[in-house]
Amino acid sequence: MGNNQLEREYEEIRLKQTISLAEEQLKQAKEAAEKKKSQIIEVKKEVRENAAHGVTNLYTSDGFEALVELSQYMNPVIDKIVDYEEEEHKILLLENMTKSPYFARIDFKFDDEEEFEKIYIGRSSLRKNSYQEMYVYDWRSPIASIFYRFMKGEAFYDAPCGRVTGELKLKRQYEIKNGALKYFFDTDVQIVDEFLRQLLSQNTTAKMKAIVETIQQEQDAVIRDMENDLLMVQGVAGSGKTSIALHRAAYLMYQGLQTKLSANNIIIISPNAIFEQYISNVLPELGEDNVISVVFEDILNMLLKGRKIQSKNDFLEKIIAPSQYKKLYKDSIEFKTSKLFGEILDKFIYDIPCQWIEFDDVYYEGTCVVSRQTLQDKVLGRTETPLGIKLAQLEDYILELIFGTGKGRGHKAEKNLVKQEIQNFIKIDIFELYKILFSNESYFFSLLHNNNSSESIKEIREYTKENLEAGCIYYDDAIAMLYLYLKIYGTNEYKNIKQVVIDEAQDYYPLQYEIFGLLFPNAKFTILGDMKQTLAKKEDISFYEEIHKILNKKKSSLIVLDKSFRCTNEILNFSLKFIEQSPQIKSFNRKGDSPEVFIADNSEVFIDKIVEEVKSCQEKGLQSIGLICKTENNSICLFNKLKHKLDIQIIKNGSAAELQGVFIIPVYMSKGLEFDAVLICDADNQNYYDDDDKNLLYVACTRALHRLSLFCEKEVSPLLYATSKHTKPEQTE
């Protein structure tokens, strides 16, 4: 890209000045960090010397005072460590800035001024000093939004003081590596698209990377939204939903400088552990601490501790693998996570103190202190208080009746005996309670009011009863038990969370959104999904309205992203055949090879064709090659056949391997990921044959950036050649 010589010289000088300023501040930061490190060592030494006698006194009658004194000694150490960590963070940002201080420039004239101001935009800000000119603006700053949202002409941005208007004369982008200016170009729509097309043509990486240089206008609107309590994003495959989610988290932390929002106030709900690992570098690349990231299973295991729960992946294996019980498994989770079953659980919770807790008269020294009826009446009152809290308060009430309100040091043994006696009716075992619900047939169907006692529900009840009696907690039952637990006991585990980001939103069920509402009652939500990429269920865009009703937030918005940046035209068009009534998906118009289907007569030829295709991809320079199978069982079987022929790894439940080289992965674990080449390795009529399987094929195909191939042994899946109501993607330049 040719540059005017004078402009080139100006930009070289400006870059040199910027790096020089960054290096000067880096030197100062390192000196300050060393000084603070020395201070920490000195203060720790003083604490050891001055607090020695305090530690000794902890075990004397003056222990409380000694503990307070010890805390006072430790506070200065903690403060110094916090200061030191802030300086280290500053050093990291400045080190990155010396390598590539900015990626864009806009020339903008404010309406009340006559001169255009040159505004440079980078991943973090750089100021000459506390009061002088800003050398580089953070990409999240209000004025930087002009770069993402406008071409030349009238432009504006929204600042804390209100809307600021003016004129944009120049948009310029830079490629700067290791402090050297490689090239720059002034952008219009055609040049921007060509630049992005070149970037998209490159190979993917083992971990997702930040995309601040290429954020699109519609993506920027989602990232910067601060108006809505519930922001929902329906985005087609490859529209950048996950990148948007992470850049939004970084933006919220930037805004947190004013709103006191930090990394520990934001949580990302990820679909699986592989996905968590895949996205782990993005926020650090943006100069931010990683926010809390959890998989829904982590929450299940933490709050329902003490019992072994089936993993989500194991449940998905059962629900998508060919089986005579497949419909039962699918019906089971749809019923147990439905609004209807949530209402059944609510009625059950209401009935628990009336029917399912055996209150006893409480005796002390031969005298009835309080009757069972009084205890039950106390629990039945104050309906707004959770049952678990009311039961815990019963213990305090009984002990106060017997021993009074004093410390009662002399009654410790007697208190323990009374506590043991009343544990039978104040302590609830969620598992046993849930088992009662399914064991009592007449009571179970009375909660349905007999208007939905279909054969399917009867089968689900019997199947669940048998599992629970055997001590098995399947994934769908664990979801219902967690709802019971939260309604009965509540939790303060996530009381600090103010922003929740949920990715792959389409794969959660209504009861799970009820749970999210209970876990994060005071948080704002960003929910991103694609209703065409569901696993083992069908949803449409109306599901967002259901989510809105469940979470019940004051202000909400649904944004649709219909442009796909990941796949080539050929791959995207091939993938659309698996979508019924396909939405209008806009392709970024990147051309590539047409997908191919390979059919082998026997196992030996089948394996040879896969090996040949993998080697062909490697010769073409493709680096991440994903062999996708429908299930983990299929993946293991294929791995055993290929491990002596290729350098290959397998990704399965609990795996922590990085996504690089050649690997085999079940389709449900590939959600949200992308690979240079995708080989679907079990595209036969035994694995892919019904409507649910169409969604799986769509997910698998749209993981591919550059190349897609499908393999089957003997009979090919009829879905590959079935006609469907789909339209070719609209191509955009």
Side-chain angles (χ1 to χ4, degrees), residues 37 66 72 128 270 485 488 501 510 586 590 608 636 644:
K37 189 175 180 181
Q72 290 172 343
K128 194 163 186 179
S270 296
Y485 176 91
I488 291 172
V501 179
K586 296 176 182 176
R590 185 168 61 87
D608 286 345
I636 293 169
H644 300 302

Side-chain angles (χ1 to χ4, degrees), residues 610-653:
I610 291 174
V611 172
E612 182 183 333
E613 175 63 11
V614 168
K615 290 181 177 177
S616 175
C617 289
Q618 290 173 326
E619 288 169 4
K620 289 179 169 65
L622 302 178
Q623 293 175 2
S624 70
I625 303 170
L627 280 62
I628 298 181
C629 295
K630 185 178 183 182
T631 65
E632 185 174 295
N633 284 338
N634 288 7
S635 299
I636 293 169
C637 181
L638 182 64
F639 176 73
N640 289 331
K641 292 176 180 177
L642 290 175
K643 62 185 179 182
H644 300 302
K645 297 176 180 285
L646 292 170
D647 181 8
I648 193 168
Q649 59 178 324
I650 185 168
I651 310 292
K652 55 184 181 178
N653 196 13

Side-chain angles (χ1 to χ4, degrees), residues 344-357:
I344 289 173
L345 292 174
D346 286 339
K347 293 174 190 173
F348 180 48
I349 292 166
Y350 180 83
D351 287 346
I352 288 168
C354 307
Q355 298 188 48
W356 307 111
I357 295 179

Side-chain angles (χ1 to χ4, degrees), residues 360-371 375 393-408 410-422 425:
D360 285 330
D361 298 334
V362 177
Y363 287 83
Y364 183 69
E365 295 182 342
T367 302
C368 180
V369 179
V370 59
S371 71
L375 294 174
Q393 290 170 344
L394 276 190
E395 180 178 82
D396 294 335
Y397 169 71
I398 294 166
L399 293 175
E400 189 177 317
L401 283 175
I402 296 172
F403 302 106
T405 57
K407 292 184 179 179
H411 297 293
K412 187 174 181 181
E414 292 92 334
K415 277 188 176 181
N416 286 338
L417 287 172
V418 174
K419 284 182 179 181
Q420 288 174 19
E421 183 182 341
I422 62 179
F425 57 81

